[in-house]
Amino acid sequence: AQTVTQSQPEMSVQEAETVTLSCTYDTSESNYYLFWYKQPPSRQMILVIRQEAYKQQNATENRFSVNFQKAAKSFSLKISDSQLGDTAMYFCAFMRASGGATNKLIFGTGTLLAVQP
Amino acid sequence: GAGVSQTPSNKVTEKGKYVELRCDPISGHTALYWYRQSLGQGPEFLIYFQGTGAADDSGLPNDRFFAVRPEGSVSTLKIQRTERGDSAVYLCASSPMSGMHYNEQFFGPGTRLTVL
């Protein structure tokens, strides 16, 4: 069974600074996807960034980038130039990519990020 | 276009009652997922629909939980004889099975269920 671990329950960062959120996962699959989702107080899960395991290049989306270490099963999220609107719960998630798989997401327990003015 | 919508936004019920939670997916998305998010936890998978059929219901906790998607669009999650432990936020997500957003799940705002 796959598991996702987020070891930082809460983090704080000053506005305009950079912060890194950690995520590790466990799987025997060779082909899969990894995601970071943001959940503000409105409860709406918003996709921040995705990474295909077969791609060696780390994904980037504007101020958001990942450090994907496949051998170490590590998938951290870096947020640059933090903004007040980045304050939210962040979830790391895993999805199998095998043919015929359900494609359900397996989530970690989340990291609550507070951006301080 | 419109995103995934869920109704009601909040539902308070008494122990032992029956509840229905509704999900309207993004038009054209053939895959639909239900997740349950307990306080302080990440969402946990409940059930997955591909079209009208439940392709995977392995996450349903027991036979009090049931979900349908009769026309391949709107889905209803039904909970019988509710228990206090059923209190959680129920999230719905839909996904296209082709195109640039293939395998990406788009979430609704959730229904917060409180069982007194």
Side-chain angles (χ1 to χ4, degrees), chain A residues 33 35 37 39 42-45 47 50 91 95 102-105 107-109, chain B residues 9 33 35 37 41-43 45 48 56 102-105 107-110 112:
Chain A
Y33 300 93
F35 304 84
Y37 278 88
Q39 187 178 43
S42 66
R43 297 198 306 247
Q44 185 97 39
M45 282 281 199
L47 179 64
R50 67 183 278 170
F91 290 98
M95 176 195 289
T102 293
N103 297 335
K104 64 186 177 187
L105 289 164
F107 288 88
T109 51
Chain B
S9 177
Y33 302 80
Y35 294 86
Q37 186 175 20
Q41 300 295 317
F45 168 77
Y48 157 60
D56 183 349
Y102 172 65
N103 262 342
E104 182 177 329
Q105 294 187 20
F107 282 82
R112 181 179 298 281

Side-chain angles (χ1 to χ4, degrees), chain A:
Chain A
Q2 291 82 22
T3 58
V4 177
T5 302
Q6 293 180 251
S7 58
Q8 304 155 314
E10 297 183 24
M11 291 196 72
S12 181
V13 63
Q14 292 295 126
E15 200 174 2
E17 296 295 307
T18 295
V19 64
T20 299
L21 308 183
S22 301
C23 173
T24 58
Y25 59 95
D26 189 23
T27 185
S28 58
E29 302 283 333
S30 59
N31 195 16
Y32 49 86
Y33 300 93
L34 295 164
F35 304 84
W36 278 97
Y37 278 88
K38 169 184 177 181
Q39 187 178 43
S42 66
R43 297 198 306 247
Q44 185 97 39
M45 282 281 199
I46 302 164
L47 179 64
V48 174
I49 200 165
R50 67 183 278 170
Q51 174 82 41
E52 289 86 352
Y54 66 86
K55 290 186 178 178
Q56 292 187 335
Q57 186 172 6
N58 289 324
T60 62
E61 285 288 342
N62 301 314
R63 298 181 296 107
F64 299 89
S65 62
V66 299
N67 183 3
F68 173 48
Q69 302 289 328
K70 191 172 184 180
K73 295 180 182 173
S74 171
F75 183 62
S76 61
L77 174 69
K78 185 171 83 171
I79 306 174
S80 304
D81 185 26
S82 297
Q83 301 176 0
L84 296 177
D86 295 334
T87 292
M89 183 72 86
Y90 286 80
F91 290 98
C92 178
F94 171 97
M95 176 195 289
R96 289 174 62 192
S98 303
T102 293
N103 297 335
K104 64 186 177 187
L105 289 164
I106 298 169
F107 288 88
T109 51
T111 296
L112 181 61
L113 176 67
V115 180
Q116 307 293 341

